Amino acid sequence: MPKIRTSRTKPPPEGYEDIADVLEDYEKKMRDAENESHEGKRKAESVWPIMRISHARSRYIYDLYYKRELISRELYDWLIKQKYADADLIAKWKKQGYEKLCCVRCIQTRDMNFQGSTCICRVPKAVLKKGTVVECPHCGCRGCSSGD
């Protein structure tokens, strides 16, 4: 969640107005996902929509700065500082082999995954048996491996 702006916080840098509408849309989607009923869902499943929206917002900011080069470094740093994007996830996206990573939890080897390995969604699709449907237990993605 982005930080709440008060009179003491620094105003957004130039160029924020251009992307403010999109970020507000993500904010509305996030509020709707948080207020959604969790009845009949597993504990992990109730967080999946929130993680997907957070991932999409981070990917949007990443694409604006690194791929399309439409925002300045100052604005990018401000967005990261204000928690509009996940800095750890973006740092992984910049590395080879992690371009499609869905969440940082999928690559943590301690406490999260079976016997110190990575998540099942990181297994290349070529290695899996035909017809096997992979669903990440952490974020609900359908596979973020680069072996599509």
Side-chain angles (χ1 to χ4, degrees):
M1 288 292 295
K3 293 181 180 178
I4 298 172
R5 281 189 261 156
T6 63
S7 60
R8 292 178 38 184
T9 57
K10 201 172 164 184
E14 189 176 320
Y16 176 76
E17 302 81 30
D18 300 335
I19 62 171
D21 293 337
V22 176
L23 294 177
E24 286 176 19
D25 289 342
Y26 281 121
E27 190 72 28
K28 289 176 188 172
K29 289 178 187 176
M30 185 70 80
R31 261 189 252 115
D32 292 342
E34 288 172 350
N35 294 332
E36 187 178 290
S37 174
H38 304 304
E39 294 295 319
K41 294 183 180 179
R42 298 184 317 219
K43 185 178 178 182
E45 284 179 2
S46 62
V47 183
W48 290 353
I50 296 168
M51 292 187 75
R52 286 186 186 125
I53 295 166
S54 176
H55 175 275
R57 184 174 57 196
S58 295
R59 179 57 81 171
Y60 173 71
I61 292 169
Y62 171 81
D63 286 340
L64 284 178
Y65 183 69
Y66 288 104
K67 301 290 184 190
R68 297 175 11 198
E69 299 175 358
L70 294 177
I71 60 175
S72 66
R73 177 69 186 193
E74 181 185 7
L75 177 57
Y76 173 75
D77 289 339
W78 185 84
L79 290 169
I80 295 291
K81 187 176 181 183
Q82 297 297 318
K83 307 264 191 247
Y84 279 98
D86 185 355
D88 297 329
L89 188 57
I90 289 176
K92 288 296 180 185
W93 284 339
K94 292 189 282 185
K95 295 181 180 179
Q96 184 178 6
Y98 295 98
E99 298 89 2
K100 296 181 180 181
L101 184 65
C102 57
C103 66
V104 180
R105 292 180 72 186
C106 290
I107 58 171
Q108 290 178 340
T109 55
R110 285 186 286 145
D111 303 328
M112 294 292 164
N113 300 304
F114 181 70
Q115 294 181 350
S117 65
T118 58
C119 184
I120 186 68
C121 70
R122 297 291 297 158
V123 176
K125 289 180 177 42
V127 176
L128 295 172
K129 295 178 184 175
K130 291 234 185 227
T132 303
V133 177
V134 176
E135 186 175 80
C136 176
H138 305 301
C139 64
C141 75
R142 301 259 184 226
C144 58
S145 64
S146 56
D148 292 341

